[in-house]
Amino acid sequence: MNPYPPRSSAAQGIAGQVLSRRRFLAVTGGLGSGLLVGCAAGSGAPALLGSGSPRVAELERARQAAGQRTVDVALTAAPGRVDIGGQVLSTWSYGGELPGREIRLTRGDLLRAEVRNDLPQPTTVHWHGIALRADMDGVPVLSQPEIAPGATFRYEFTVPDPGTYMFHPHIGAQLDRGLYGPLIVEDPTEPADYDDELVVMFDDWVDGTGRDPDQVLADLRANGMGGMGGMGGMEGMGGMQMPRSDLLGGDAGDVQYPHFLANGRTADAARSFPVRPGQRIRLRLLNIGGDTAFRVGVPGTPMTITHTDGFPVTPTQADAVLIGMGERVDAVIEVPGTAVPLLGLAEGKDGVTQVLLQPGTGPAPDVAAAATALMARPAILVNDIPAAEAVRLADREPDVTHPMRLGGPADGYTWTINDQTYDPARGVPVREGQRVRLRFENTTTMFHPMHLHGHTFQVRGATGPGPRKDTVTVLPGQAVEVDFDADNPGQWLTHCHNIYHGEAGMMTVVSYLR
């Protein structure tokens, strides 16, 4: 049962809100002024097309096919204790599992997820990467009310695209606890050129170790990156330096994590995956970390990258791949004759985690030596890998281009887009049917994995059409342009998937107008 009042009530927030032209110009910050003039012309003031719009329900009906299968899932978010490998810690999780139990569907299925909140705070669930209906996206104010402690909310939506996705909250720093899990959407028509499949979620971990993510964020806001929440504070106590990475172009993170996990375990208590020599294994690699990019690979065994953020790319061989927070990469490897680790190196942070690929009862390899071997090999970013021909956007000039200037940190650990911190009533205007270009320009000294809700964009690569993605890493001093078709009306976040940057202001709204 949905415990909230109807969407027409005050709880709806800005969904469906009508703005005067003066207010509209204010909340959009004057961006795209040519488009704003066009929006204001004609019959009256522009109105936002919010999650309660009949158009949202109409498009959901169009996604549904005759004989559609329904998959029912129950999720309970609750405090509890988890074992990360010999160390039992207090955290919040779904059903006491880390990661939460995998949700697996087929393209076109209807997911019906009953979510109960037994946490001491409100929560939501965001279905990361899914181009779903706007009123099920899990963002307070923009798409739904918060789920109050003790309450239940039913998410119900069609999954339109196959791929590797995940779910997590979208309130405060809850993502940096244990509230996450993989969501896999299969394509029954996809050729299976592999023998088995392994899903791995990489994470950085602080909860229950004397600090929790809310304290980390409070420390950063109070003291900046030189405070107890950040690396600078650790430097003052123990001589540690700010993490840096040449591959990331500068600063590699703001938070000192005591643990790094692969599927909920530290490297010295790694999970094992049984394999046979010569098998082809499809790896579904997900970075759910709060502040850490992971360099991922199997030492001595090249991988063939096949998908980015769920969508196929031109197969590309690599020794290792860099995966930013919120990104997902699918790759295929051929299992060697001895046990090997699938490593996740915390880029710039001198940390490592692993899953052991075990073809028998032989000894596990030395993880430190394996990490050294992987660091000696080149790693790639996926931004310039071309999308497979079948999923490339049609060649078309954008109808509107919106700059997204990334700035910070200012006083009080403030991060901005276009010199402004997040306001759910402020965004960049688009209309259904437009080709939209976002130009992310990073003026800071740290990388930012920028995520767009409700859509998959195409990265404009250095030499041509790049991959289809929903999260793209933007390096310091660089700009990345992405194009998407405005085909999913609603009010949609775009934000940095570093949870602390996002919560400190680096979010804005892609705002559909009627």
Side-chain angles (χ1 to χ4, degrees):
M1 183 179 71
N2 187 334
Y4 296 103
R7 297 294 300 178
S8 58
S9 74
Q12 180 179 349
I14 67 168
Q17 179 179 350
V18 179
L19 304 177
S20 69
R21 182 170 189 272
R22 176 178 297 178
R23 172 62 177 154
F24 179 75
L25 289 167
V27 301
T28 55
L31 293 174
S33 58
L35 178 63
L36 293 177
V37 171
C39 291
S43 57
L48 304 184
L49 204 161
S51 62
S53 165
R55 181 63 175 150
V56 172
E58 179 185 358
L59 286 173
E60 175 65 12
R61 288 192 296 270
R63 296 185 184 106
Q64 297 171 351
Q68 182 184 42
R69 186 179 70 142
T70 298
V71 177
D72 288 296
V73 172
L75 293 174
T76 298
R81 294 175 68 78
V82 298
D83 184 350
I84 64 170
Q87 189 170 2
V88 179
L89 301 174
S90 296
T91 189
W92 300 349
S93 65
Y94 295 119
E97 298 185 56
L98 187 66
R101 187 167 300 179
E102 175 185 293
I103 300 174
R104 188 168 288 255
L105 309 101
T106 300
R107 179 188 60 190
D109 284 350
L110 182 76
L111 176 62
R112 188 161 56 201
E114 198 84 6
V115 178
R116 176 172 175 79
N117 180 14
D118 285 341
L119 302 172
Q121 295 179 2
T123 193
T124 63
V125 177
H126 169 58
W127 310 93
H128 181 104
I130 301 289
L132 76 174
R133 56 184 298 165
D135 55 352
M136 295 288 150
D137 191 46
V139 178
V141 178
L142 293 186
S143 59
Q144 69 167 98
E146 299 171 338
I147 308 172
T152 300
F153 186 90
R154 174 179 288 179
Y155 292 90
E156 191 168 309
F157 56 89
T158 301
V159 289
D161 302 307
T164 301
Y165 306 102
M166 54 192 176
F167 55 94
H168 61 75
H170 223 292
I171 289 185
Q174 290 180 9
L175 175 147
D176 212 17
R177 297 180 188 260
L179 292 163
Y180 60 80
L183 193 160
I184 308 301
V185 183
E186 297 179 328
D187 182 355
T189 67
E190 182 180 62
D193 60 344
Y194 54 90
D195 303 302
D196 207 345
E197 182 177 305
L198 174 61
V199 179
V200 182
M201 300 194 79
F202 295 97
D203 191 18
D204 43 21
W205 191 271
V206 67
D207 201 27
T209 65
R211 291 189 298 165
D212 64 39
D214 291 335
Q215 292 169 323
V216 171
L217 180 58
D219 290 341
L220 288 166
R221 283 174 162 159
N223 304 304
M225 289 179 288
M228 287 296 293
M231 297 291 293
M234 298 301 293
E235 178 181 0
M237 296 173 62
M240 297 183 70
Q241 300 298 313
M242 289 288 289
R244 294 192 59 82
S245 163
D246 290 339
L247 189 58
L248 288 172
D251 296 345
D254 296 343
V255 179
Q256 172 62 30
Y257 288 92
H259 302 296
F260 299 96
L261 310 182
N263 285 351
R265 291 299 184 101
T266 56
D268 56 357
R271 298 191 188 275
S272 292
F273 183 69
V275 293
R276 295 190 309 274
Q279 274 190 312
R280 289 171 57 81
I281 306 297
R282 179 178 184 168
L283 305 173
R284 295 184 185 263
L285 310 170
L286 308 90
N287 183 353
I288 191 62
D291 179 72
T292 305
F294 285 92
R295 183 186 298 231
V296 179
V298 178
T301 302
M303 65 176 67
T304 300
I305 296 171
T306 61
H307 297 72
T308 58
D309 293 359
F311 281 72
V313 295
T314 301
T316 301
Q317 193 170 90
D319 291 305
V321 61
L322 190 77
I323 307 177
M325 298 83 80
E327 289 186 297
R328 293 91 61 211
V329 170
D330 289 20
V332 174
I333 63 167
E334 186 171 311
V335 177
T338 59
V340 290
L342 171 65
L343 294 176
L345 308 182
E347 183 67 19
K349 294 187 176 182
D350 194 29
V352 61
T353 188
Q354 64 172 333
V355 169
L356 184 63
L357 305 179
Q358 180 59 269
T361 58
D366 179 83
V367 68
T372 299
L374 189 64
M375 280 297 296
R377 305 299 300 164
I380 67 170
L381 279 75
V382 299
N383 288 8
D384 289 324
I385 299 177
E389 189 72 36
V391 299
R392 293 184 187 181
L393 292 183
D395 189 21
R396 174 182 168 188
E397 286 299 308
D399 297 298
V400 60
T401 298
H402 287 299
M404 295 279 170
R405 190 173 57 256
L406 312 178
D411 291 345
Y413 192 72
T414 299
W415 297 86
T416 59
I417 296 178
N418 296 327
D419 302 318
Q420 296 173 326
T421 55
Y422 175 58
D423 179 346
R426 178 189 296 122
V428 296
V430 302
R431 288 188 184 276
E432 188 176 357
Q434 288 183 325
R435 171 65 59 83
V436 181
R437 179 168 296 167
L438 303 179
R439 187 177 192 276
F440 296 108
E441 180 187 358
N442 187 351
T443 69
T444 79
T445 61
M446 187 173 170
F447 75 104
H448 301 287
M450 299 303 298
H451 175 51
L452 174 63
H453 288 213
H455 303 77
T456 296
F457 49 68
Q458 179 144 23
V459 179
R460 286 169 52 81
T463 58
R468 293 289 301 276
K469 292 178 64 56
D470 53 70
T471 309
V472 64
T473 294
V474 187
L475 299 182
Q478 295 190 17
V480 176
E481 292 182 337
V482 304
D483 290 352
F484 68 94
D485 289 330
D487 57 5
N488 196 16
Q491 304 298 305
W492 301 102
L493 276 188
T494 184
H495 63 95
C496 181
H497 220 272
N498 182 312
I499 187 61
Y500 300 100
H501 294 181
E503 284 303 302
M506 193 175 276
M507 302 194 292
T508 192
V509 182
V510 171
S511 180
Y512 277 75
L513 306 179
R514 298 185 193 277

CSV table of all heavy atoms in Angstrom, one decimal, residues 234-266:
chain,number,residue,atom,x,y,z
A,234,MET,N,43.8,12.9,8.0
A,234,MET,CA,44.6,11.8,8.3
A,234,MET,C,46.1,12.1,8.1
A,234,MET,O,46.9,11.6,8.8
A,234,MET,CB,44.2,10.6,7.3
A,234,MET,CG,42.8,10.1,7.5
A,234,MET,SD,42.4,9.5,9.1
A,234,MET,CE,43.4,8.1,9.2
A,235,GLU,N,46.4,13.0,7.2
A,235,GLU,CA,47.8,13.4,7.0
A,235,GLU,C,48.3,14.1,8.3
A,235,GLU,O,49.4,13.8,8.7
A,235,GLU,CB,47.9,14.4,5.8
A,235,GLU,CG,49.3,14.9,5.6
A,235,GLU,CD,49.3,15.9,4.4
A,235,GLU,OE1,48.3,16.2,3.8
A,235,GLU,OE2,50.4,16.4,4.1
A,236,GLY,N,47.4,14.9,8.9
A,236,GLY,CA,47.9,15.6,10.1
A,236,GLY,C,48.1,14.6,11.2
A,236,GLY,O,48.9,14.8,12.1
A,237,MET,N,47.4,13.4,11.2
A,237,MET,CA,47.5,12.5,12.3
A,237,MET,C,48.6,11.4,12.0
A,237,MET,O,49.3,11.0,12.9
A,237,MET,CB,46.2,11.8,12.5
A,237,MET,CG,45.1,12.6,13.0
A,237,MET,SD,43.5,11.8,13.0
A,237,MET,CE,43.9,10.5,14.2
A,238,GLY,N,48.8,11.0,10.7
A,238,GLY,CA,49.7,9.9,10.5
A,238,GLY,C,50.6,10.1,9.3
A,238,GLY,O,51.2,9.1,8.8
A,239,GLY,N,50.7,11.3,8.7
A,239,GLY,CA,51.6,11.5,7.6
A,239,GLY,C,51.1,11.0,6.3
A,239,GLY,O,51.8,11.0,5.3
A,240,MET,N,49.8,10.7,6.2
A,240,MET,CA,49.2,10.2,4.9
A,240,MET,C,49.0,11.4,4.0
A,240,MET,O,48.8,12.5,4.4
A,240,MET,CB,47.9,9.5,5.1
A,240,MET,CG,48.1,8.2,5.9
A,240,MET,SD,46.5,7.3,6.1
A,240,MET,CE,46.4,6.7,4.4
A,241,GLN,N,49.2,11.2,2.7
A,241,GLN,CA,49.1,12.2,1.7
A,241,GLN,C,47.7,12.2,1.0
A,241,GLN,O,47.1,11.1,1.0
A,241,GLN,CB,50.2,12.1,0.7
A,241,GLN,CG,51.6,12.2,1.2
A,241,GLN,CD,51.8,13.5,1.9
A,241,GLN,OE1,51.6,14.6,1.3
A,241,GLN,NE2,52.4,13.5,3.1
A,242,MET,N,47.3,13.3,0.4
A,242,MET,CA,46.1,13.3,-0.4
A,242,MET,C,46.3,12.3,-1.5
A,242,MET,O,47.3,12.2,-2.2
A,242,MET,CB,45.8,14.7,-1.0
A,242,MET,CG,45.3,15.7,0.0
A,242,MET,SD,43.7,15.4,0.6
A,242,MET,CE,42.8,15.9,-0.9
A,243,PRO,N,45.3,11.4,-1.8
A,243,PRO,CA,45.5,10.4,-2.9
A,243,PRO,C,45.6,11.1,-4.3
A,243,PRO,O,44.8,12.1,-4.5
A,243,PRO,CB,44.2,9.6,-2.8
A,243,PRO,CG,43.2,10.4,-2.1
A,243,PRO,CD,44.0,11.3,-1.2
A,244,ARG,N,46.5,10.7,-5.1
A,244,ARG,CA,46.6,11.2,-6.4
A,244,ARG,C,46.7,10.1,-7.4
A,244,ARG,O,47.2,9.0,-7.1
A,244,ARG,CB,47.8,12.2,-6.5
A,244,ARG,CG,47.7,13.4,-5.7
A,244,ARG,CD,48.8,14.4,-6.0
A,244,ARG,NE,48.7,14.8,-7.4
A,244,ARG,CZ,47.9,15.8,-7.9
A,244,ARG,NH1,47.0,16.3,-7.0
A,244,ARG,NH2,47.9,16.1,-9.1
A,245,SER,N,46.3,10.4,-8.7
A,245,SER,CA,46.3,9.4,-9.7
A,245,SER,C,46.6,10.1,-11.1
A,245,SER,O,45.9,11.0,-11.4
A,245,SER,CB,45.0,8.6,-9.8
A,245,SER,OG,44.9,8.0,-11.1
A,246,ASP,N,47.7,9.7,-11.8
A,246,ASP,CA,47.9,10.2,-13.1
A,246,ASP,C,46.8,9.8,-14.0
A,246,ASP,O,46.4,10.6,-14.9
A,246,ASP,CB,49.2,9.7,-13.7
A,246,ASP,CG,50.4,10.3,-12.9
A,246,ASP,OD1,50.3,11.3,-12.3
A,246,ASP,OD2,51.5,9.6,-13.0
A,247,LEU,N,46.2,8.6,-13.9
A,247,LEU,CA,45.2,8.2,-14.8
A,247,LEU,C,43.9,9.0,-14.6
A,247,LEU,O,43.2,9.3,-15.5
A,247,LEU,CB,44.9,6.7,-14.5
A,247,LEU,CG,43.9,6.0,-15.4
A,247,LEU,CD1,44.4,6.0,-16.9
A,247,LEU,CD2,43.7,4.6,-15.0
A,248,LEU,N,43.7,9.5,-13.3
A,248,LEU,CA,42.5,10.3,-13.0
A,248,LEU,C,42.9,11.8,-13.2
A,248,LEU,O,42.0,12.7,-13.0
A,248,LEU,CB,42.0,10.1,-11.6
A,248,LEU,CG,41.3,8.7,-11.4
A,248,LEU,CD1,41.0,8.5,-10.0
A,248,LEU,CD2,40.0,8.7,-12.3
A,249,GLY,N,44.1,12.1,-13.5
A,249,GLY,CA,44.4,13.5,-13.8
A,249,GLY,C,44.6,14.4,-12.6
A,249,GLY,O,44.6,15.6,-12.7
A,250,GLY,N,44.8,13.9,-11.4
A,250,GLY,CA,44.9,14.7,-10.2
A,250,GLY,C,44.5,14.0,-9.0
A,250,GLY,O,44.8,12.9,-8.7
A,251,ASP,N,43.6,14.8,-8.2
A,251,ASP,CA,43.1,14.2,-6.9
A,251,ASP,C,42.3,13.0,-7.2
A,251,ASP,O,41.5,12.9,-8.1
A,251,ASP,CB,42.3,15.3,-6.2
A,251,ASP,CG,43.0,16.5,-5.8
A,251,ASP,OD1,44.3,16.4,-5.8
A,251,ASP,OD2,42.4,17.5,-5.5
A,252,ALA,N,42.5,12.0,-6.3
A,252,ALA,CA,41.8,10.7,-6.5
A,252,ALA,C,40.7,10.4,-5.5
A,252,ALA,O,40.1,9.4,-5.5
A,252,ALA,CB,42.8,9.5,-6.5
A,253,GLY,N,40.5,11.4,-4.6
A,253,GLY,CA,39.4,11.2,-3.6
A,253,GLY,C,39.6,12.1,-2.4
A,253,GLY,O,40.6,12.7,-2.2
A,254,ASP,N,38.5,12.2,-1.6
A,254,ASP,CA,38.5,13.1,-0.4
A,254,ASP,C,38.4,12.3,0.9
A,254,ASP,O,38.6,12.9,1.9
A,254,ASP,CB,37.2,14.0,-0.5
A,254,ASP,CG,37.3,15.0,-1.7
A,254,ASP,OD1,38.3,15.2,-2.3
A,254,ASP,OD2,36.2,15.5,-2.0
A,255,VAL,N,38.1,11.1,0.8
A,255,VAL,CA,37.8,10.3,2.1
A,255,VAL,C,38.8,9.2,2.2
A,255,VAL,O,39.1,8.4,1.3
A,255,VAL,CB,36.4,9.8,2.0
A,255,VAL,CG1,36.1,9.0,3.3
A,255,VAL,CG2,35.4,10.9,1.9
A,256,GLN,N,39.3,9.0,3.4
A,256,GLN,CA,40.2,7.9,3.7
A,256,GLN,C,39.4,6.7,4.2
A,256,GLN,O,38.7,6.8,5.3
A,256,GLN,CB,41.2,8.3,4.8
A,256,GLN,CG,42.0,7.1,5.3
A,256,GLN,CD,42.9,6.5,4.3
A,256,GLN,OE1,43.3,7.1,3.3
A,256,GLN,NE2,43.2,5.2,4.4
A,257,TYR,N,39.3,5.6,3.4
A,257,TYR,CA,38.5,4.5,3.8
A,257,TYR,C,39.4,3.4,4.4
A,257,TYR,O,40.5,3.1,3.9
A,257,TYR,CB,37.8,3.9,2.6
A,257,TYR,CG,36.7,4.7,2.1
A,257,TYR,CD1,36.9,5.7,1.1
A,257,TYR,CD2,35.4,4.5,2.6
A,257,TYR,CE1,35.8,6.5,0.6
A,257,TYR,CE2,34.3,5.3,2.1
A,257,TYR,CZ,34.5,6.3,1.1
A,257,TYR,OH,33.5,7.0,0.7
A,258,PRO,N,39.0,2.8,5.5
A,258,PRO,CA,39.8,1.7,6.1
A,258,PRO,C,39.6,0.4,5.3
A,258,PRO,O,40.5,-0.5,5.5
A,258,PRO,CB,39.2,1.6,7.5
A,258,PRO,CG,37.8,2.1,7.4
A,258,PRO,CD,37.8,3.2,6.3
A,259,HIS,N,38.6,0.2,4.5
A,259,HIS,CA,38.4,-1.1,3.8
A,259,HIS,C,37.9,-0.8,2.4
A,259,HIS,O,37.2,0.2,2.1
A,259,HIS,CB,37.3,-1.9,4.6
A,259,HIS,CG,37.6,-2.2,6.0
A,259,HIS,ND1,38.7,-3.0,6.4
A,259,HIS,CD2,37.0,-1.8,7.1
A,259,HIS,CE1,38.7,-3.1,7.7
A,259,HIS,NE2,37.7,-2.4,8.2
A,260,PHE,N,38.2,-1.8,1.5
A,260,PHE,CA,37.7,-1.8,0.2
A,260,PHE,C,37.1,-3.2,0.0
A,260,PHE,O,37.8,-4.2,0.3
A,260,PHE,CB,38.8,-1.5,-0.8
A,260,PHE,CG,39.3,-0.1,-0.6
A,260,PHE,CD1,40.5,0.1,0.1
A,260,PHE,CD2,38.6,1.0,-1.1
A,260,PHE,CE1,41.0,1.4,0.3
A,260,PHE,CE2,39.1,2.3,-0.9
A,260,PHE,CZ,40.3,2.5,-0.2
A,261,LEU,N,36.0,-3.3,-0.6
A,261,LEU,CA,35.2,-4.6,-0.7
A,261,LEU,C,34.9,-5.0,-2.1
A,261,LEU,O,34.7,-4.1,-3.0
A,261,LEU,CB,33.9,-4.5,0.1
A,261,LEU,CG,33.9,-3.9,1.5
A,261,LEU,CD1,32.5,-4.0,2.1
A,261,LEU,CD2,34.9,-4.7,2.4
A,262,ALA,N,34.9,-6.3,-2.4
A,262,ALA,CA,34.3,-6.9,-3.6
A,262,ALA,C,33.3,-7.9,-3.2
A,262,ALA,O,33.6,-8.8,-2.4
A,262,ALA,CB,35.4,-7.5,-4.4
A,263,ASN,N,32.0,-7.6,-3.6
A,263,ASN,CA,30.9,-8.4,-3.2
A,263,ASN,C,30.9,-8.6,-1.7
A,263,ASN,O,30.6,-9.7,-1.1
A,263,ASN,CB,30.9,-9.8,-3.9
A,263,ASN,CG,30.4,-9.7,-5.3
A,263,ASN,OD1,30.0,-8.6,-5.7
A,263,ASN,ND2,30.6,-10.7,-6.1
A,264,GLY,N,31.1,-7.5,-1.0
A,264,GLY,CA,31.0,-7.4,0.5
A,264,GLY,C,32.1,-8.0,1.3
A,264,GLY,O,32.0,-8.1,2.5
A,265,ARG,N,33.2,-8.3,0.7
A,265,ARG,CA,34.4,-8.9,1.4
A,265,ARG,C,35.7,-8.1,1.1
A,265,ARG,O,35.9,-7.7,0.0
A,265,ARG,CB,34.5,-10.4,1.0
A,265,ARG,CG,33.4,-11.3,1.5
A,265,ARG,CD,33.3,-11.3,3.1
A,265,ARG,NE,32.3,-12.2,3.6
A,265,ARG,CZ,32.6,-13.4,4.1
A,265,ARG,NH1,33.8,-13.8,4.1
A,265,ARG,NH2,31.6,-14.1,4.5
A,266,THR,N,36.5,-8.1,2.1
A,266,THR,CA,37.9,-7.6,2.0
A,266,THR,C,38.8,-8.5,1.3
A,266,THR,O,38.4,-9.7,1.1
A,266,THR,CB,38.5,-7.2,3.4
A,266,THR,OG1,38.5,-8.4,4.2
A,266,THR,CG2,37.7,-6.1,4.1
